[in-house]
Amino acid sequence: MRLFVAIALPEEIKERIGALRGGIPEARWIAAENAHVTLAFIGEVQSPMMMDISLALGRIKYPSFDIDIEGVGVFGSNKRPRILWAGVRPTAAINLLHQKIVTAIESVGATVDDRRFRAHITLARVHNSPYERVRNFLTDHALFKTETLPVTSFTLFSSHLSSSSAIYQEEVSFDLLSPVSS
């Protein structure tokens, strides 16, 4: 079973993300209903390990916070982009939640993808797309922004590959603590 941890997005944000699709030949667009903010990619694990991971994630105590989704970019080099994404403004809150999730997962013997963390929403895979069209997309959507999103939970997802695309299923959702009022 392939697992990852992410922030699930409300339908109105998924619709805004879905509206970005198009304009790049040979791009493999992610279905709007699969849009999420990746916090940690775990990869293939056996079912018993999924239970251990779930229990470890359930012990995380962390306050809810807000995120801002803004801008677009690529992973890979500018001349050879691989992944097109919508950005999440970096904040101490999301970075610390990511660190707590990684620590929890590693505490049960599982591993997390060790690439530098950058909160994002994957839009498309663009390895074979013309560079000029990707660059135009980045320019055309540089000012993309959604309304501020309150983050009150995070979710352990499984990913099942089908012939057409990946199917994501929410396995377990973990509530964050209500913010302390003054």
Side-chain angles (χ1 to χ4, degrees):
M1 171 176 282
R2 290 177 83 214
L3 299 177
F4 63 93
V5 180
I7 297 167
L9 298 173
E11 289 306 314
E12 59 272 12
I13 300 286
K14 289 180 180 183
E15 288 172 14
R16 294 277 317 276
I17 296 296
L20 293 174
R21 295 170 52 113
I24 303 176
E26 298 187 43
R28 289 190 359 243
W29 294 95
I30 304 301
E33 63 267 15
N34 283 342
H36 60 271
V37 177
T38 306
L39 292 170
F41 181 76
I42 303 164
E44 296 285 340
V45 301
Q46 300 300 318
S47 289
M49 179 59 79
M50 183 182 142
M51 286 302 284
D52 292 345
I53 291 168
S54 295
L55 291 170
L57 292 173
R59 289 190 286 273
I60 293 174
K61 303 294 181 231
Y62 196 75
S64 57
F65 58 95
D66 293 339
I67 60 172
D68 290 303
I69 299 167
E70 57 188 22
V72 292
V74 294
F75 290 133
S77 69
N78 283 338
K79 291 284 187 192
R80 298 213 25 100
R82 296 178 299 105
I83 303 290
L84 181 65
W85 49 257
V88 175
R89 183 185 299 154
T91 63
I94 198 165
N95 289 333
L96 188 52
L97 178 59
H98 161 75
Q99 290 171 351
K100 286 183 171 291
I101 288 169
V102 169
T103 300
I105 293 166
E106 290 177 343
S107 76
V108 297
T111 57
V112 176
D113 181 52
D114 62 357
R115 285 179 272 200
R116 191 179 116 244
F117 175 65
R118 174 155 188 168
H120 68 281
I121 300 163
T122 301
L123 300 175
R125 286 166 178 63
V126 292
H127 337 71
N128 299 320
S129 300
Y131 165 72
E132 185 76 17
R133 297 295 286 274
V134 174
R135 193 178 76 202
N136 289 345
F137 180 94
L138 295 173
T139 302
D140 292 346
H141 299 287
L143 299 178
F144 174 77
K145 184 173 176 46
T146 68
E147 59 277 0
T148 297
L149 176 67
V151 178
T152 58
S153 65
F154 63 93
T155 303
L156 178 64
F157 284 88
S158 61
S159 171
H160 309 277
L161 299 177
S162 73
S163 56
S164 58
S165 67
I167 299 164
Y168 301 150
Q169 178 170 333
E170 292 188 22
E171 296 294 338
V172 187
S173 188
F174 306 93
D175 289 335
L176 296 174
L177 303 172
S178 296
V180 179
S181 51
S182 7

